[in-house]
Amino acid sequence: MAEFKVYGSTVNYLKNPCGIDENPSFSYKLSNSERGGAQKSRRICVKEALTGNTVWDSGAVETKEQLFVSYAGEKLKPITKYDFTVEVALESGETASETGSFVTGKLGSKWIGKWINAKPVRRYPDAEAAQYLRNTFDVNTNVSAAYLAICGLGYFESYINGTKTGDDMLSPAFTRYDAESMYLVYDVKDLLKMGKNAIGVAPGNGWYNCFTQDNWNTPAASWRHFPKLICELHITYEDGTKQIMASDPNVWKSSKGPITFNSIRNGEYYDARLELGAWTEADYDDSAWVGTKIMKSPGGKLIAMEFEPIRVRKTFTARKMWKSKNGYVFDIGQNQAGVGRFKVRGPAGTEITFRYSDVLSSEEEIDTGAIGCFVRSGAFQTDKYIKKSDGEEVWNPIFTYHGFQYVEISGIDYEPVLSDVTALTLCTDVADIGTFSCSDKLLDRVQHLCRWSTISNMHSIPTDCPHREKNGWTGDVSLSSEQMLTNFGSRAFLAKWSQDMRTSQRPAGQIPCVVPSTGWGYYGLMGPDWSSALINVPYNIYLYNGDVSILRKNYDAIKRNCDFMETMTTDYTLDYGTGDWCPPFEGPAIGKNMGNYKCPTEVSDTGFFYNAANIVVKMARMFGETEDEIYYSEMAEKIKAVFREKFFDKETYTVMGDCQTATATMLYFNLCEEDEREPLLRRLIEQIEQQDWHLDFGVLGNKFVMHTLGSMGEGNVGHRMLAQRTFPGCQRWIDLGATTLWECWNGGGSHNHHMFSDISSFLYKYVGGISPDEKEPGFAHTILRPAIDSGMESATASHESMYGEVRCDWTNCEGKVSIHIKVPFGCHATLYLPKTYQDILKENDVPASVVGTVTESEKEFGLELISGEYTFTA
């Protein structure tokens, strides 16, 4: 009998979330040991956890849909746990179920807690040191449930009875705080005890009070103010009574402590001699502490943080160590974002300095020249620690993070050992949902670079780099979002940042080039290429997950942005973008050669304008907005006509700029007619051959060229370009020791930038061979196009979609081809292979044409497959 189960249930993309304000949206996966099969019906029941009262029973609904089922029951209560059950019946008669839970947030209800901070904080210099706040309260009977709703700006750490309330770090998320601030909800029942209890909170500056002078005017941010805290501890007792212990300036106390300085752009200084002892314990003597005071609200709405917080993702012990001019340099072996955890020795009062970088000078000294150039006050990526005793002490910062592979320790009078330094990799705690590997060791290594540059740049917002800027550059994320959604469970994370973009949008439609923005970036570097993030990020969430609601939320914002583009043209072409940034060059990077690209900006900008209009048309059609569909269809037709007239010479099939990016722009955005596609493709390949099969593009061409080649059946040309062992290409980075993607092909600039990481998306789609289908998004239909004739011996690609695992493993060795495929339950796939395999592809000696339906084209044939696992040979 077939083995059938329901698994992977989520609410608003999250597994058993604690603290949601959005209406619950349920999704689940199905698996069956047999091929095919279909869901007949599903039933979702939701009950209040403590009372068992049913608040919604959907009944058995006959449907094939498994994703994004909206809650439609009684009004939910704030700060309340609910259990749910998903029951599914198949057409074959089998049934199965799975349970889960969620805890609501405040749901827009009024906060009882007040914004507070320490009384002595009166001027900005007072806030450079962290303050420590505490209160005590009594619990006199057995507790059934207890939840702490809390927001501390810019960051906070909270404790109850000596135990940290969560394993997250650097919470809450970075937002435009005067529009929205995010709070978290912790389940703290197990931290409470009978009798006297204590809660302690330490707020840090984070992005809310970033006082470091920089290029982006951060100290002048409209939201900037002193750190502050608001919280409510909701306790429900077994007898049904309830208690709320809230932040209150009349009862909370405060003190200075060991964190004497904290800045997100500089670092953290810690004087262990000033430690407060067991300050989060109930019996602590706080008689010397001073009061707290009420603070002005940040000004924005308080909303639940409905995505994964930052956590320690991985730890690395130092691999190498050597003597430097100032002390000792440790090599972690992997470029990353995070902090060091240090074991230090020496006499009490010793001040030890830790400097971080991902670049070494030629003398193997810490070098911050290329990454510290935009931080204009204070030390860069520097932490300090003052010892409290003569014994060994262990410490790590909590209110900052750095981008680094190397750490220098100075101020010690002994020779340290490797185990004295451990790197804590910090990252928004998204799940690994994609895997790719192949027999080409260079491409395998490139995938590693793509993954780690992304891991390094997910810090509640998608940043460009984890050191020099830490900004949410829109263009970088627009280009990287496909691979983010393939490799990582970044759906909720990117949905949050999409919300940040909507919040940043001005009424006229423009968005800044960095999000969140202090007010900087609305008039430069925010052309249609970089602003495409407003369109591409939600559209890719839809494409990779089938979530129509993300498009609905962004429809008006996308339309307004398209309208803004229209105000910037008199002839339906645009020319105010950033362009094909960071093409190959030799020589200095920052401020010198990054903009020396071949493709004219007006060519790429107009392509993005055309794409924006077409996306609005697709969405308008989806939502029945007929007038919009007509208007933007006409706009798209005008843009295409002008592009062709102004930029395209059909006689020679040359696009203005006559380079790889320019030609691929026309193909990628489908600005050509159908009969022009093959000649343009041949022209693109000629241009690549003229460069001796090397790339000549920057970040835009990286996407346009590679995906054009792959989607048009010439992925092998893309493989050949990536696999080049000479400059320009990925090998240059690896030869220079890269463990993440670099900003520039020649190794200049930042050594941890993800803007070229769409290479990973190409590897999944056109080497491993798995792609979503825009017509049936979310991998309801998967396009399988493995590169079995690429010259490689093998590749493996898998992706845990919202429906379940999609997988394609293949080998081509010694004249034998094997392809293993997995299609999730309720879904289907089409396998595309060169026509030479059509008559010899078999499964267990059964011709492929018997296993699935065959379709044919000029270059390839397609094999339609229902859900299940397959192994084909040829």
Side-chain angles (χ1 to χ4, degrees):
M1 186 175 178
E3 183 179 331
F4 167 58
K5 68 176 182 179
V6 182
Y7 72 104
S9 299
T10 58
V11 179
N12 298 357
Y13 291 126
L14 303 172
K15 183 73 173 177
N16 299 330
C18 188
I20 61 171
D21 280 342
E22 293 283 329
N23 189 57
S25 176
F26 303 93
S27 300
Y28 56 91
K29 302 173 185 179
L30 306 175
S31 71
N32 196 356
S33 56
E34 293 183 354
R35 290 178 184 169
Q39 174 180 285
K40 180 182 180 183
S41 65
R42 58 148 160 79
R43 177 186 181 189
I44 299 177
C45 293
V46 180
K47 297 183 178 183
E48 189 176 340
L50 287 183
T51 66
N53 294 335
T54 299
V55 295
W56 184 44
D57 185 342
S58 70
V61 180
E62 292 199 5
T63 179
K64 300 290 191 293
E65 294 298 322
Q66 301 169 220
L67 308 183
F68 310 114
V69 182
S70 293
Y71 172 83
E74 298 176 14
K75 184 178 180 180
L76 298 172
K77 300 175 183 178
I79 314 295
T80 302
K81 183 178 181 180
Y82 293 90
D83 296 323
F84 68 89
T85 303
V86 178
E87 301 174 355
V88 175
L90 301 186
E91 290 183 347
S92 55
E94 294 103 320
T95 61
S97 64
E98 187 185 41
T99 59
S101 67
F102 63 91
V103 177
T104 53
K106 290 284 291 180
L107 299 180
S109 60
K110 188 174 181 179
W111 283 74
I112 297 172
K114 304 295 183 182
W115 287 100
I116 63 172
N117 195 8
K119 274 187 177 179
V121 177
R122 297 184 180 89
R123 301 174 300 113
Y124 278 118
D126 299 334
E128 291 183 0
Q131 302 295 317
Y132 295 77
L133 286 69
R134 63 174 261 122
N135 188 29
T136 58
F137 58 96
D138 293 325
V139 172
N140 297 319
T141 187
N142 292 332
V143 174
S144 294
Y147 297 99
L148 176 65
I150 181 169
C151 176
L153 298 179
Y155 295 137
F156 74 90
E157 294 218 332
S158 55
Y159 301 80
I160 290 180
N161 296 326
T163 301
K164 196 164 180 281
T165 57
D167 59 357
D168 53 304
M169 295 183 69
L170 302 177
S171 293
F174 181 20
T175 57
R176 205 190 89 189
Y177 302 106
D178 52 355
E180 294 174 338
S181 295
M182 292 188 162
Y183 68 91
L184 288 83
V185 178
Y186 300 101
D187 184 345
V188 296
K189 175 189 172 185
D190 293 342
L191 303 185
L192 300 181
K193 62 182 181 180
M194 198 71 73
K196 190 177 182 181
N197 292 256
I199 179 171
V201 183
N205 286 308
W207 291 107
Y208 184 62
N209 181 34
C210 181
F211 47 80
T212 308
Q213 297 297 321
D214 58 30
N215 275 26
W216 309 280
N217 209 27
T218 308
S222 58
W223 60 70
R224 186 184 167 201
H225 200 226
F226 308 137
K228 56 194 65 173
L229 155 73
I230 190 171
C231 70
E232 294 178 356
L233 175 57
H234 291 248
I235 304 174
T236 302
Y237 296 102
E238 288 185 355
D239 62 6
T241 59
K242 297 184 177 183
Q243 176 186 3
I244 300 177
M245 195 285 299
S247 49
D248 181 346
N250 295 315
V251 295
W252 282 63
K253 291 187 172 184
S254 69
S255 174
K256 290 183 178 180
I259 298 178
T260 59
F261 176 90
N262 68 106
S263 166
I264 189 66
R265 290 209 183 277
N266 298 125
E268 182 172 311
Y269 301 169
Y270 189 95
D271 188 342
R273 299 170 300 180
L274 303 178
E275 287 180 346
L276 299 169
W279 67 280
T280 61
E281 298 280 7
D283 56 1
Y284 176 76
D285 181 6
D286 61 10
S287 58
W289 286 39
V290 298
T292 58
K293 61 183 177 182
I294 200 163
M295 301 288 289
K296 293 182 178 70
S297 161
K301 295 182 294 183
L302 266 174
I303 59 174
M305 192 172 123
E306 294 189 39
F307 70 103
E308 301 84 352
I310 295 170
R311 293 190 175 99
V312 176
R313 187 180 190 89
K314 192 176 176 67
T315 60
F316 291 84
T317 301
R319 295 184 180 181
K320 298 177 183 177
M321 180 192 78
W322 58 89
K323 188 77 176 69
S324 65
K325 293 177 182 177
N326 297 322
Y328 295 86
V329 174
F330 291 77
D331 181 355
I332 304 302
Q334 173 62 57
N335 203 346
Q336 59 187 282
V339 293
R341 176 178 288 157
F342 305 106
K343 294 178 185 176
V344 292
R345 294 173 289 283
T350 301
E351 182 175 284
I352 304 168
T353 300
F354 310 94
R355 295 174 60 227
Y356 301 74
S357 183
D358 60 1
V359 181
L360 295 175
S361 70
S362 57
E363 294 82 24
E364 294 198 314
E365 298 282 342
I366 290 287
D367 183 356
T368 60
I371 59 174
C373 55
F374 295 154
V375 172
R376 305 198 182 281
S377 67
F380 177 69
Q381 293 211 140
T382 300
D383 299 328
K384 295 182 180 181
Y385 181 83
I386 300 178
K387 292 191 78 265
K388 63 184 175 183
S389 72
D390 295 336
E392 182 176 272
E393 297 169 22
V394 180
W395 172 77
N396 63 266
I398 61 172
F399 289 144
T400 191
Y401 77 93
H402 309 293
F404 69 103
Q405 182 175 334
Y406 310 102
V407 184
E408 180 191 70
I409 299 180
S410 60
I412 57 176
D413 61 359
Y414 60 90
E415 183 173 335
V417 295
L418 290 177
S419 58
D420 287 344
V421 176
T422 300
L424 308 182
T425 305
L426 298 178
C427 172
T428 296
D429 194 25
V430 294
D432 292 318
I433 63 170
T435 61
F436 171 85
S437 63
C438 67
S439 58
D440 186 308
K441 297 306 178 186
L442 171 59
L443 297 186
D444 227 23
R445 190 62 181 169
V446 169
Q447 169 66 2
H448 176 91
L449 307 187
C450 292
R451 281 181 50 83
W452 270 95
S453 61
T454 307
I455 290 169
S456 303
N457 284 291
M458 291 189 285
H459 279 259
S460 83
I461 65 167
T463 58
D464 61 326
C465 61
H467 35 45
R468 188 180 74 202
E469 303 182 38
K470 291 185 168 84
N471 283 323
W473 282 92
T474 50
D476 300 44
V477 189
S478 179
L479 297 166
S480 294
S481 57
E482 268 200 88
Q483 71 81 15
M484 286 185 181
L485 290 159
T486 306
N487 282 302
F488 304 103
S490 56
R491 303 145 180 148
F493 167 69
L494 287 175
K496 177 266 180 189
W497 191 68
S498 180
Q499 178 177 312
D500 290 339
M501 285 191 284
R502 295 196 303 275
T503 301
S504 76
Q505 187 177 38
R506 287 181 168 172
Q510 74 262 51
I511 64 170
C513 55
V514 295
V515 174
S517 169
T518 63
W520 183 91
Y522 282 94
Y523 295 106
L525 305 176
M526 42 65 71
D529 43 12
W530 260 230
S531 294
S532 68
L534 182 69
I535 301 165
N536 291 340
V537 171
Y539 201 81
N540 284 334
I541 294 173
Y542 162 74
L543 176 63
Y544 277 79
N545 300 284
D547 185 359
V548 176
S549 70
I550 192 72
L551 297 184
R552 172 57 78 183
K553 289 177 181 177
N554 285 278
Y555 179 67
D556 289 337
I558 290 172
K559 193 170 66 167
R560 286 203 310 275
N561 188 246
C562 192
D563 292 343
F564 174 76
M565 294 182 210
E566 190 179 17
T567 70
M568 293 294 292
T569 180
T570 57
D571 66 352
Y572 289 97
T573 66
L574 293 176
D575 188 10
Y576 64 99
T578 305
D580 194 22
W581 196 246
C582 287
F585 61 82
E586 290 287 18
I590 298 172
K592 300 293 183 181
N593 291 303
M594 291 179 172
N596 290 343
Y597 39 79
K598 297 180 180 179
C599 179
T601 305
E602 58 188 316
V603 171
S604 54
D605 273 6
T606 305
F608 278 105
F609 186 23
Y610 179 67
N611 182 65
N614 276 327
I615 292 294
V616 175
V617 170
K618 292 176 183 178
M619 295 168 66
R621 193 172 294 140
M622 202 179 295
F623 301 137
E625 301 286 351
T626 305
E627 288 186 11
D628 286 348
E629 182 184 349
I630 294 170
Y631 182 84
Y632 292 97
S633 292
E634 292 175 353
M635 180 189 291
E637 290 172 4
K638 292 173 183 175
I639 297 167
K640 181 177 179 178
V642 173
F643 182 99
R644 294 171 58 77
E645 178 182 351
K646 190 171 181 179
F647 304 137
F648 179 49
D649 180 352
K650 187 166 182 177
E651 288 187 11
T652 61
Y653 283 93
T654 301
V655 182
M656 192 171 79
D658 193 16
C659 62
Q660 296 170 16
T661 298
T663 305
T665 296
M666 191 165 188
L667 285 164
Y668 182 80
F669 288 124
N670 204 24
L671 284 153
C672 55
E673 303 301 340
E674 190 59 35
D675 65 340
E676 296 166 347
R677 292 187 66 79
E678 284 298 323
L680 277 166
L681 176 63
R682 289 195 296 272
R683 179 65 186 138
L684 174 59
I685 295 173
E686 286 173 8
Q687 291 167 331
I688 295 169
E689 186 176 7
Q690 288 167 6
Q691 298 293 322
D692 194 23
W693 304 99
H694 286 71
L695 57 90
D696 76 350
F697 48 68
V699 293
L700 302 184
N702 183 60
K703 190 169 189 73
F704 301 167
V705 174
M706 301 304 292
H707 284 268
T708 295
L709 292 171
S711 64
M712 295 188 69
E714 295 292 346
N716 290 357
V717 176
H719 314 151
R720 185 172 181 179
M721 294 172 74
L722 290 179
Q724 291 293 337
R725 267 56 180 176
T726 55
F727 178 80
C730 301
Q731 185 68 48
R732 174 73 165 265
W733 292 335
I734 293 167
D735 289 343
L736 293 171
T739 60
T740 48
L741 294 174
W742 291 1
E743 187 175 24
C744 303
W745 293 109
N746 71 342
S750 162
H751 282 189
N752 199 341
H753 249 65
H754 66 89
M755 63 187 186
F756 282 108
S757 64
D758 193 64
I759 293 171
S760 177
S761 182
F762 173 85
L763 296 176
Y764 274 96
K765 288 181 174 183
Y766 306 117
V767 178
I770 56 175
S771 304
D773 182 354
E774 187 178 26
K775 296 176 182 177
E776 297 181 64
F779 293 90
H781 177 241
T782 300
I783 297 170
L784 302 167
R785 195 171 260 113
I788 58 175
D789 283 349
S790 61
M792 285 179 266
E793 291 187 351
S794 64
T796 294
S798 70
H799 172 73
E800 187 66 27
S801 76
M802 294 290 289
Y803 290 103
E805 186 185 25
V806 179
R807 191 172 194 90
C808 184
D809 305 338
W810 60 265
T811 60
N812 186 349
C813 189
E814 297 179 351
K816 296 180 180 179
V817 172
S818 175
I819 308 171
H820 177 74
I821 291 166
K822 186 175 183 180
V823 182
F825 184 92
C827 304
H828 64 121
T830 304
L831 172 64
Y832 292 97
L833 294 175
K835 293 193 76 171
T836 52
Y837 291 91
Q838 184 169 343
D839 296 328
I840 59 174
L841 190 71
K842 297 181 179 181
E843 185 184 40
N844 297 326
D845 294 327
V846 177
S849 58
V850 177
V851 178
T853 304
V854 173
T855 58
E856 296 184 48
S857 66
E858 183 179 345
K859 290 184 178 180
E860 58 189 10
F861 76 99
L863 183 64
E864 300 289 333
L865 303 171
I866 59 175
S867 64
E869 294 196 51
Y870 303 81
T871 300
F872 295 105
T873 57

